[in-house]
């Protein structure tokens, strides 16, 4: 029987039993231009998300001014607006995450970016609060779907020895966008450059332009071979892996034979009940770990840092147009944390690094809260304290996405990311902004300190959960960390399967 023949089965075409070395072939690859294409095409969307969130946070005070073209308050933008955006992201993550596991990574990371682009463009045309909030919700739908589709695709395409650092740096690239958004806010929101009702609209328009460029690049990113062979597209999976191997050989690399193979019982789709049962019945400890990591980082970032500009204006009388300088500094700290610490997640290991970054950042935030309560900080020193704390928090937050992407079976990956993102973000990202907006708007120092302490406490608690429940996933193949459901089903299939090399 030739390599391209299918064993006699009673299944429909494309749903037989195959024995494949595709995962092993992907994991043995050296880094090449093929991988850079994936990183640039998929990872750059986090820059857009950072740009989006930062611009909205910094433009809150400007939108509240008379003549902005929309009758809205700063608290509505940073509180209700942020909560609606996050609610949309939660819904989008679950809906598009389910579609991603069903119809493939590539279709969905193109669709979700298109949703983001349309909603952002329409946000720039807002004339009333209800339309602004509606478009914030739809924008969130696109961004939430991006998190599920892209994290699953990246982890399935990147070799295991690079997976940790690449995933963490890509998730941390959110802060490149935040840095750019902070600086751009000072350009678009200065009334000397643009009228009050024009500058904020142009800021949203810039996001559309950047998104279109990313969409053009993303068209050349392939589908995940892991998804392809599980869903009966094994010939296409062979083609994608072959392209990656050719790219490695083109740079002079000699590839050793991939000997480790797994048997897969191909299926066109896997039911939601099966996925849910797998995540919560078979892996309850990992499920609790994912929730803890996501809730901690979601509350910290969505509740506390989103309102940083409001804190500067309320407690330190920093002009609205100048808050971008402070946020730009914080953004740099948030990006350099994942950039400089990411390789330790593959070398030192997941458990010590995830637990360490969560706990240390939480302790540093407790210290910052105490100094803030004592009125011992200026706008500049508060910014410095946040920068140091978030240097570690950002690496930890990025590892939350890495964790839930690695520790569950391949068939559940996108939906697992979506679920934990949605639940964790709903807990910290919807209640957080609503609570935090009211605490900072009051101008009472102790109430803002309380918000700081809640965020810090949740980060420490999540770090302790990682100590006891963390998974040693560094440098291990995804199929070794969590056996695919279809592989287990294949164990009882008939022996007449074929090997794909």
């Amino acid at each position: 029987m030739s390599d391209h023949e299918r064993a006699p089965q009673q299944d429909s075409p494309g749903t037989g039993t195959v024995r494949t070395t595709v995962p092993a072939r992907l994991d043995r690859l050296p880094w090449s231009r093929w991988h850079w294409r994936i990183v640039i095409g998929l990872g750059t969307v986090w820059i857009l998300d950072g740009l989006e969130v930062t611009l909205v946070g910094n433009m809150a005070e400007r939108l509240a001014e008379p003549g902005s073209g929309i009758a809205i308050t700063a608290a509505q933008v940073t509180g209700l607006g942020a909560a609606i955006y996050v609610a949309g992201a939660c819904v989008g993550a679950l809906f598009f995450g389910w579609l991603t596991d069903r119809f493939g990574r590539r279709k969905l990371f193109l669709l979700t970016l298109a949703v983001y682009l349309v909603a952002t463009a329409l946000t720039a045309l807002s004339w009333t609060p209800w339309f602004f909030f509606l478009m914030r919700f739809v924008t969130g739908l696109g961004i939430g779907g991006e998190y599920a589709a892209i994290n699953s695709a990246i982890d399935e395409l990147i070799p295991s020895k690079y997976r940790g650092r690449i995933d963490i740096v890509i998730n941390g690239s959110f802060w490149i966008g935040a840095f750019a958004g902070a600086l751009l806010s000072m350009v678009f929101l200065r009334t000397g450059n643009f009228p009050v009702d024009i500058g904020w609209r142009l800021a949203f328009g810039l996001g559309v332009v950047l998104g279109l460029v990313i969409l053009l690049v993303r068209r050349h990113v392939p589908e995940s071979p892991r998804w392809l062979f599980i869903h009966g597209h094994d010939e296409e999976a062979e083609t994608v892996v072959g392209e990656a191997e050719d790219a490695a050989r083109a740079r002079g690399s000699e590839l050793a034979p991939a000997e480790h193979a797994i048997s897969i019982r191909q299926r066109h789709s896997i039911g939601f009940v099966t996925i849910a049962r797998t995540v919560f019945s078979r892996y309850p400890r990992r499920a609790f770990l994912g929730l803890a990591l996501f809730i901690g980082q979601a509350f910290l970032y969505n509740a506390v840092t989103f309102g940083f500009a409001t804190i500067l204006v309320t407690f330190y009388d920093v002009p609205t147009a100048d808050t971008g300088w402070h946020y730009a500094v914080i953004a740099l700290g948030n990006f350099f944390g994942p950039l400089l610490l990411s390789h330790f997640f593959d070398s030192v290991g997941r458990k010590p690094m995830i637990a360490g970054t969560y706990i240390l950042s939480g302790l540093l935030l407790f210290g910052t809260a105490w100094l803030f309560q004592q009125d011992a900080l200026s706008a500049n020193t508060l910014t410095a304290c946040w920068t140091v704390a978030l240097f570690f928090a950002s690496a930890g937050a990025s590892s939350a996405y890495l964790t839930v992407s690695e520790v569950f079976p391949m068939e559940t990956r996108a939906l697992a990311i979506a679920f934990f993102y949605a639940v964790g973000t709903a807990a910290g990202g919807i209640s957080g902004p609503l609570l935090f907006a009211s605490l900072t708007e009051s101008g009472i120092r102790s109430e803002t300190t309380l918000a700081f302490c809640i965020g810090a406490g949740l980060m420490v608690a999540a770090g302790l959960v990682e100590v006891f429940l963390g998974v040693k996933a560094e440098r291990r193949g995804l199929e070794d960390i969590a056996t695919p459901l279809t592989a287990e089903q294949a164990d009882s299939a008939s022996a007449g399967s074929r090997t794909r090399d």
Side-chain angles (χ1 to χ4, degrees), residues 283 285-287 289 293 345 349-352 354 403 406-408 465-474 476 480-482:
Y283 298 104
R285 290 162 59 92
R286 297 183 182 188
L289 171 65
L293 295 178
F345 286 80
R350 302 286 199 265
K351 288 183 67 173
I354 295 174
T403 297
E406 288 182 317
V407 300
F408 297 106
V465 172
E466 174 68 28
V467 170
F468 294 102
L469 301 182
V471 178
K472 295 180 179 180
E474 59 273 9
R476 294 175 62 192
D480 293 330
I481 300 170

Side-chain angles (χ1 to χ4, degrees), residues 451-485:
F452 288 175
C453 290
I454 293 174
L458 289 173
M459 288 295 283
V460 172
L464 293 175
V465 172
E466 174 68 28
V467 170
F468 294 102
L469 301 182
V471 178
K472 295 180 179 180
E474 59 273 9
R475 296 178 176 271
R476 294 175 62 192
L478 294 172
E479 291 73 21
D480 293 330
I481 300 170
T483 303
L485 303 180

Side-chain angles (χ1 to χ4, degrees), residues 15-58:
T15 56
T17 299
V18 297
R19 186 164 177 79
T20 178
T21 58
V22 162
R25 290 165 64 190
L26 288 170
D27 283 337
R28 85 192 197 287
L29 290 174
W31 194 262
S32 69
R33 292 177 61 184
W34 189 84
H35 297 105
W36 277 119
R37 185 175 64 181
I38 295 166
V39 170
I40 295 172
L42 299 183
T44 44
V45 75
W46 270 255
I47 298 175
L48 274 184
D49 190 15
L51 180 72
E52 172 89 13
V53 172
T54 305
L55 281 174
V56 174
N58 284 328

Side-chain angles (χ1 to χ4, degrees), residues 48-106:
L48 274 184
D49 190 15
L51 180 72
E52 172 89 13
V53 172
T54 305
L55 281 174
V56 174
N58 284 328
M59 71 173 57
E61 299 293 335
R62 183 66 73 226
L63 282 169
E65 294 181 5
S68 68
I70 180 171
I72 197 169
T73 67
Q76 285 178 318
V77 176
T78 59
L80 181 60
I84 288 175
Y85 174 81
V86 173
C90 293
V91 173
L94 290 171
F95 177 66
F96 289 119
W98 174 72
L99 292 179
T100 297
D101 278 334
R102 189 176 183 86
F103 296 108
R105 284 52 170 138
R106 189 173 189 276

Side-chain angles (χ1 to χ4, degrees), residues 415-434:
L415 195 56
I417 296 170
F419 174 80
F420 290 105
Y421 170 81
V423 174
T425 303
I430 297 178
S431 61
L434 292 173

